[in-house]
Amino acid sequence: MGITMKQLLVLAITTCVLTYPALAADKCNPQDKAALLRIKSQLGNPSDLSTWNASTDCCGGWKGVSCDTDTQTYRVNNLDLTGITLQKATSIPPSIGDLPSLNFLTLSQITNLAGTIPNTLTKLTKLRYLYISHTSVSGTIPDFLSSIKTLVTLDFSYNKLSGALPASLSSLPNLVGITFDGNSLSGQIPSSYGSFSSQFTSMTLSQNKLSGVIPTSLSNLNLAIVDLSGNSLVGDASVLFGAKKNTQKIALAKNGFAFDIGKVGFSSNLNTLDLRNNGISGTLPQSLTQLKFLKRFNVSYNSLCGQIPQGGNLQRFDAYAYAGNKCLCGSPLPSC
């Protein structure tokens, strides 16, 4: 007996119903899903994480969660909780350490995120990028971070961190930069920071309470970006300069640095030089006129003297960039 059209239609519908669960299977690793649900609970079940539902696939639409689809292991490798709203002061969830395949962790712009950086992060042996910024996280930058050898970037800017810079960070073989601006870090820059690997190119420590002299070991670094503005650092900062370096930005404003600017060399790639409010002396060197990419420049309120070199980009900046020096003269200031 032949199959009627009605029977074929019923068979097709039945087949779709039976195969749909397989197509819509939960790809999320069950241990990762359980860890994420614990994280949600430890954060006080914020409404911003309403998509974190035990009945749905965490790799298919949970806010801030990404999974490894390249290897098809579907382990959670990226957690970005930027901007979530917490109803009360809450610590960083310790269960974040239960996501062993995490490469990226971002906890940024979370006002009520408080407490200290938990040592459970040491379980994240694949973590490469750690961003904890614009929060109320306090305490010190922990030494245990040096045990996460995969780290590439550390950004702890604009928190409430205090205490000394951990000298052990220089042992991280893959680290390319640290960003610790806008905290209350104190003490000296460790001399060990001169032994960062050749990949290390960015050090920004502005708006802290750092003091003392810059270690001469930093002359070993070829930094593209260095920002030490707004601290209480003193002495000779000439070790940060060099004509053979690849430096693009040097910001040393509002410290107590004192050295002869006429004796330093400048990277041909320099686009930002901010030295205002220090005790820097000497005469501005003619080599500054050869900086083709210079877009930001300020040497005001130092102890500079002599004529401002004419040419290049130096006359693009107004008198404010040169004001408050001992005896600096020439355009855009009054003539000598």
Side-chain angles (χ1 to χ4, degrees):
M1 181 184 294
I3 300 176
T4 65
M5 183 62 70
K6 183 177 180 179
Q7 289 172 321
L8 283 172
L9 182 60
V10 171
L11 180 62
I13 293 173
T14 303
T15 303
C16 287
V17 170
L18 290 173
T19 57
Y20 177 76
L23 294 174
D26 192 343
K27 295 178 180 178
C28 181
N29 179 275
Q31 286 79 27
D32 289 355
K33 174 181 273 191
L36 288 169
L37 292 174
R38 288 196 299 274
I39 291 167
K40 178 182 179 181
S41 175
Q42 289 162 3
L43 288 172
N45 295 305
S47 59
D48 290 326
L49 301 183
S50 59
T51 54
W52 292 25
N53 189 310
S55 63
T56 60
D57 180 9
C58 79
C59 295
W62 282 27
K63 178 183 174 68
V65 176
S66 299
C67 299
D68 184 356
T69 57
D70 294 336
T71 62
Q72 295 187 341
T73 58
Y74 298 100
R75 299 302 301 257
V76 173
N77 62 0
N78 187 352
L79 181 60
D80 184 350
L81 300 182
T82 298
I84 66 169
T85 300
L86 303 179
Q87 295 303 314
K88 61 180 182 179
T90 307
S91 297
I92 297 174
S95 290
I96 287 176
D98 297 328
L99 296 171
S101 296
L102 212 57
N103 296 147
F104 300 81
L105 175 59
T106 305
L107 305 171
S108 182
Q109 300 175 36
I110 309 173
T111 304
N112 277 334
L113 191 67
T116 59
I117 299 173
N119 60 11
T120 53
L121 294 187
T122 57
K123 296 192 290 182
L124 302 177
T125 57
K126 296 181 180 180
L127 189 64
R128 301 181 66 206
Y129 301 92
L130 177 57
Y131 302 98
I132 303 174
S133 65
H134 295 84
T135 74
S136 295
V137 169
S138 59
T140 61
I141 297 174
D143 264 313
F144 61 66
L145 292 172
S146 62
S147 68
I148 311 174
K149 299 302 182 183
T150 50
L151 281 171
V152 173
T153 299
L154 284 173
D155 183 348
F156 295 151
S157 55
Y158 299 98
N159 296 298
K160 295 182 179 180
L161 296 168
S162 59
L165 292 167
S168 57
L169 292 183
S170 60
S171 67
L172 291 169
N174 301 302
L175 200 65
V176 300
I178 54 175
T179 304
F180 299 158
D181 308 281
N183 286 283
S184 295
L185 301 172
S186 58
Q188 294 185 298
I189 298 173
S191 60
S192 63
Y193 282 19
S195 60
F196 278 114
S197 74
S198 59
Q199 302 175 77
F200 189 81
T201 58
S202 177
M203 181 167 64
T204 66
L205 307 171
S206 69
Q207 300 178 53
N208 278 285
K209 298 178 180 179
L210 298 173
S211 59
V213 299
I214 291 179
T216 56
S217 60
L218 295 194
S219 63
N220 299 326
L221 302 178
N222 187 4
L223 296 172
I225 298 172
V226 55
D227 189 348
L228 305 179
S229 304
N231 284 286
S232 298
L233 296 163
V234 296
D236 187 357
S238 63
V239 296
L240 300 172
F241 295 82
K244 295 182 179 180
K245 293 187 177 184
N246 189 38
T247 314
Q248 298 167 33
K249 174 182 177 179
I250 296 182
L252 306 177
K254 300 181 180 180
N255 280 285
F257 292 123
F259 59 94
D260 187 343
I261 196 171
K263 296 181 179 180
V264 301
F266 297 95
S267 163
S268 60
N269 295 316
L270 198 64
N271 61 54
T272 299
L273 182 63
D274 187 357
L275 305 178
R276 58 198 158 91
N277 297 87
N278 279 285
I280 300 169
S281 60
T283 302
L284 292 174
Q286 189 67 31
S287 58
L288 286 171
T289 63
Q290 300 170 13
L291 302 181
K292 298 178 181 180
F293 306 110
L294 196 61
K295 295 180 180 179
R296 293 186 61 194
F297 178 81
N298 197 321
V299 293
S300 61
Y301 299 95
N302 280 286
S303 298
L304 300 172
C305 209
Q307 182 166 343
I308 297 170
Q310 303 298 298
N313 288 316
L314 292 186
Q315 275 64 55
R316 290 179 52 201
F317 306 102
D318 59 23
Y320 173 73
Y322 301 95
N325 278 285
K326 186 178 179 181
C327 51
L328 208 56
C329 57
S331 177
L333 296 179
S335 65
C336 298

